[in-house]
Amino acid sequence: MSKGVIIRTFNRIFGLIAQFSPGCTSLRPFLHRLRGVKIKGSIFIGDQVYLENEYPECIEIDDQAQIGLRSIIMAHFRGKGKVIIEKKVWIGPNCVIATSPGRTLTIGEGSVIAASSVIVSDVPPGSFVAGAKSRVIAEVTVPMTISTSYEDFKKGLKFPEKNA
């Protein structure tokens, strides 16, 4: 189902206002709730935090969660996914949290995500996660262009053999 241009524009304008507004525990969460982000209880959203523009309803943030300065939370890439941030999670500054189509990424209760971490898979409850490993993991045979579907891109990945 395609969203109308008015809703899409509203999401972007209110998302932008929220990034630069004061009120990390009041106005920012309020504006994101208006956009459709599911926020339970009292949370903290730092300055310049980007929460999903196209599908804000695919983000859930539970009570006492904190999201640090300039973090990015994406719940879509060539299709909707879902991001769930459970209770008492702390996300440091400059983190990137992203999921893929049809997938739910969950950051478990009480977890801590260190500054500048990249999260693309579930984080178990009570875990401390740090870092972003940028290493070659596969050969790309189908480039990710505007017209490439995510499924075609995935099918075109060639992973090295483990005992090679």
Side-chain angles (χ1 to χ4, degrees):
M1 177 192 304
S2 179
K3 291 184 178 185
V5 71
I6 293 172
I7 297 289
R8 295 173 76 198
T9 302
F10 174 86
N11 283 340
R12 282 161 177 76
I13 290 171
F14 276 66
L16 189 60
I17 292 169
Q19 285 184 40
F20 297 98
S21 293
C24 53
T25 59
S26 56
L27 184 56
R28 288 182 200 145
F30 172 75
L31 291 169
H32 285 299
R33 278 185 180 106
L34 287 178
R35 298 176 55 237
V37 176
K38 296 175 182 103
I39 297 174
K40 301 173 191 169
S42 178
I43 67 166
F44 176 99
I45 300 175
D47 292 346
Q48 299 177 25
V49 169
Y50 175 90
L51 296 180
E52 178 66 47
N53 268 342
E54 190 66 20
Y55 302 104
E57 67 277 6
C58 292
I59 305 271
E60 291 183 21
I61 306 170
D62 214 332
D63 193 37
Q64 299 180 48
Q66 300 176 65
I67 304 170
L69 172 75
R70 293 189 180 131
S71 289
I72 298 169
I73 301 175
M74 294 290 301
H76 88 283
F77 176 74
R78 307 280 170 107
K80 290 194 295 188
K82 187 174 188 178
V83 175
I84 299 173
I85 299 168
E86 293 184 344
K87 291 180 181 178
K88 300 179 183 175
V89 166
W90 187 86
I91 298 169
N94 296 310
C95 290
V96 176
I97 298 168
T99 191
S100 52
R103 192 164 166 278
T104 298
L105 184 151
T106 302
I107 300 177
E109 183 172 338
S111 294
V112 172
I113 311 298
S116 298
S117 295
V118 177
I119 306 297
V120 294
S121 59
D122 289 347
V123 174
S127 299
F128 179 81
V129 179
K133 293 184 179 183
S134 296
R135 58 185 171 82
V136 176
I137 59 170
E139 176 187 352
V140 175
T141 64
V142 178
M144 181 55 80
T145 65
I146 296 241
S147 59
T148 305
S149 76
Y150 181 69
E151 291 303 315
D152 288 343
F153 169 74
K154 279 193 337 187
K155 289 177 188 172
L157 292 174
K158 288 189 179 177
F159 294 91
E161 294 182 31
K162 289 188 178 193
N163 296 326

